[in-house]
Amino acid sequence: MGRSWKELGECFFDYYTSKILVIRSRKVGTLNRFTQALVIAYVVGYVCVLKKGYQDTDTVLSSVTTKVKGIALTNTTELGERIWDVADYIIPPQVEDGSFFVLTNMIITPNQTQSKCAENPTPASICTSHRDCKRGFNDARGDGVQTGRCVNYNDTVKTCEVLSWCPLEKIVEPPNPPLLADAENFTVLIKNNIRYPKFNFNKRNILPNINSSYLTQCVFSRKTDPDCPIFRLKDIVEEAEEDFQTMAVHGGVMGVQIRWDCDLDMPQSWCVPRYTFRRLDNKDPENNVAPGYNFRFAKYYKDSDGTETRTLIKGYGIRFDVLVFGQAGKFNIIPTLLNIGAGLALLGLVNVICDWIVLTIMTRKHHYKEQKYTYVDDFGLVSI
């Protein structure tokens, strides 16, 4: 027990200092230089050049406004021949959060009034007598409040009568081809302002080289007009490898992605937006329940006798979400020094790796170990 304490005391007061051992070996030398080359290539090539580790970075702040233009002509039984302009098919007219909706198809129920009519047939509304209908009952999935009467829906089916906007909307599929098929030729001007607050840098996607005359006639094209901020809706959908007319039947959601990746050590003219497009909603053919994008809205009128009527529209269309991403970088001494320090630390690990290989794997490992470690005890040199 006393000997153990003595050995522990001696170890506690040991002092370790570095010793340089030069091993003249092609194998060890090649391994050392190769490992150093890997570390230097990683620090210089990947960290500094590819990832720009010498730069400080900031994420983009962005605002987006849009303006859609275009005219469409429809001729339906319910509305007759009609022109649709931007006030009709952009819903709501003031878009927010970088999104806008374009109406492409619809189911129209005209001349609805507050009256009584037979409910659309469902398991909950089909009846055989008045006893099957409960006065005042309101089905959350129905179209009105039951009056307590069972009436003829058609020659073969009876349903409960409801107080509602009548006639009720028919349960049918949307028209195919879509009513507003001309919407594919509508254009949208996307105005995007970005800022990198850390670097006090501002820019917009209407670049300095774009003037008013160019803006009135250009349409985005990757080959001829890659900087034009005006996009044809059909081109957006086709860039996402979709068919506009097919998508317009039930509607959907498209993403317009604007990426600002800017190296602020370079001229500001090099900082330009990159546009990509993709469909965001699910179109899995194996899971096609409730496809597309739709909602209902109504236009209200009053007759000369004061009777209120409305035209109910179940609108289908495409919602466009403008999504802005980006990162800017600029030289800063702090990340530069941090990455240089990390690189030097990695170079230090090279010696550790080579020492481990020499002392554990090499054929003459015992000889190397004897040469590497020596003890100095009471000023007497003892080799082990």
Side-chain angles (χ1 to χ4, degrees):
M1 185 70 177
R3 183 179 178 182
S4 298
W5 282 106
K6 182 179 179 181
E7 292 176 351
L8 180 62
E10 291 176 351
C11 291
F12 180 77
F13 292 106
D14 284 349
Y15 168 68
Y16 298 86
T17 185
S18 301
K19 176 183 178 180
I20 298 177
L21 177 64
V22 179
I23 302 176
R24 293 173 177 171
S25 168
R26 291 183 180 274
K27 293 181 180 178
V28 177
T30 302
L31 174 65
N32 180 52
R33 299 307 179 198
F34 178 73
T35 311
Q36 286 178 338
L38 287 180
V39 171
I40 293 173
Y42 168 76
V43 173
V44 175
Y46 181 77
V47 176
C48 293
V49 177
L50 186 61
K51 292 298 183 181
K52 294 182 172 61
Y54 56 87
Q55 291 184 332
D56 192 9
T57 59
D58 193 14
T59 54
V60 68
L61 298 178
S62 168
S63 68
V64 174
T65 58
T66 60
K67 182 184 292 185
V68 181
K69 290 186 177 181
I71 298 291
L73 173 66
T74 61
N75 191 352
T76 64
T77 304
E78 295 83 4
L79 300 179
E81 193 173 59
R82 176 171 176 170
I83 290 291
W84 296 76
D85 62 15
V86 66
D88 297 312
Y89 57 72
I90 298 298
I91 306 167
Q94 185 64 37
V95 297
E96 296 187 11
D97 297 329
S99 298
F100 62 95
F101 175 84
V102 178
L103 188 69
T104 58
N105 207 3
M106 66 197 83
I107 297 174
I108 303 171
T109 309
N111 302 321
Q112 286 187 319
T113 60
Q114 291 272 347
S115 54
K116 298 175 183 179
C117 53
E119 174 70 284
N120 286 320
T122 65
S125 65
I126 294 177
C127 60
T128 56
S129 66
H130 295 330
R131 289 174 299 185
D132 297 328
C133 303
K134 183 178 179 181
R135 181 180 178 84
F137 175 72
N138 178 14
D139 185 358
R141 298 187 178 184
D143 296 294
V145 178
Q146 292 186 8
T147 63
R149 299 180 62 234
C150 183
V151 296
N152 291 326
Y153 177 80
N154 55 33
D155 294 338
T156 59
V157 178
K158 286 187 174 183
T159 61
C160 294
E161 185 182 62
V162 293
L163 176 62
S164 181
W165 285 95
C166 299
L168 300 179
E169 176 189 297
K170 295 181 180 180
I171 303 176
V172 294
E173 284 293 308
N176 190 2
L179 292 180
L180 291 177
D182 291 343
E184 67 180 14
N185 294 316
F186 296 169
T187 61
V188 56
L189 167 63
I190 299 177
K191 294 187 286 184
N192 177 213
N193 294 272
I194 61 110
R195 174 175 172 80
Y196 290 106
K198 185 181 290 187
F199 308 124
N200 194 29
F201 178 83
N202 302 276
K203 200 162 187 179
R204 63 176 186 161
N205 67 327
I206 302 179
L207 302 178
N209 61 304
I210 295 178
N211 54 38
S212 298
S213 60
Y214 173 77
L215 203 60
T216 58
Q217 61 185 4
C218 76
V219 176
F220 175 83
S221 169
R222 292 205 181 277
K223 294 182 178 179
T224 59
D225 292 287
D227 296 330
C228 180
I230 299 178
F231 304 84
R232 195 166 70 121
L233 301 190
K234 181 180 180 180
D235 295 338
I236 293 177
V237 175
E238 288 183 347
E239 282 266 349
E241 299 181 352
E242 299 286 343
D243 179 70
F244 187 93
Q245 295 299 325
T246 301
M247 191 175 182
V249 174
H250 288 95
V253 183
M254 287 294 306
V256 179
Q257 299 173 319
I258 307 177
R259 178 166 288 280
W260 294 84
D261 288 330
C262 300
D263 186 348
L264 300 184
D265 293 325
M266 299 298 177
Q268 292 189 8
S269 59
W270 292 18
C271 179
V272 294
R274 305 297 180 191
Y275 301 99
T276 56
F277 312 93
R278 58 171 297 184
R279 184 169 182 170
L280 300 179
D281 63 317
N282 180 29
K283 61 160 197 171
D284 185 358
E286 297 181 359
N287 183 17
N288 59 354
V289 178
Y293 185 83
N294 67 80
F295 59 90
R296 291 173 176 82
F297 63 98
K299 297 181 181 292
Y300 294 86
Y301 314 92
K302 273 195 175 180
D303 296 339
S304 56
D305 59 357
T307 302
E308 185 178 34
T309 63
R310 76 175 189 183
T311 297
L312 176 66
I313 299 174
K314 183 178 181 181
Y316 299 81
I318 303 175
R319 193 183 78 191
F320 294 85
D321 294 339
V322 183
L323 311 171
V324 182
F325 309 89
Q327 180 174 280
K330 193 173 185 179
F331 175 79
N332 189 296
I333 191 63
I334 294 177
T336 303
L337 293 177
L338 288 175
N339 283 297
I340 290 175
L344 294 175
L346 288 175
L347 282 175
L349 286 176
V350 173
N351 290 337
V352 175
I353 294 171
C354 290
D355 282 350
W356 179 81
I357 293 174
V358 166
L359 300 175
T360 59
I361 298 177
M362 300 293 289
T363 306
R364 303 184 63 191
K365 58 185 177 182
H366 297 294
H367 174 69
Y368 295 143
K369 188 177 295 185
E370 289 175 356
Q371 297 299 321
K372 183 171 179 62
Y373 299 109
T374 60
Y375 288 111
V376 176
D377 187 13
D378 293 334
F379 302 99
L381 181 62
V382 179
S383 295
I384 298 179

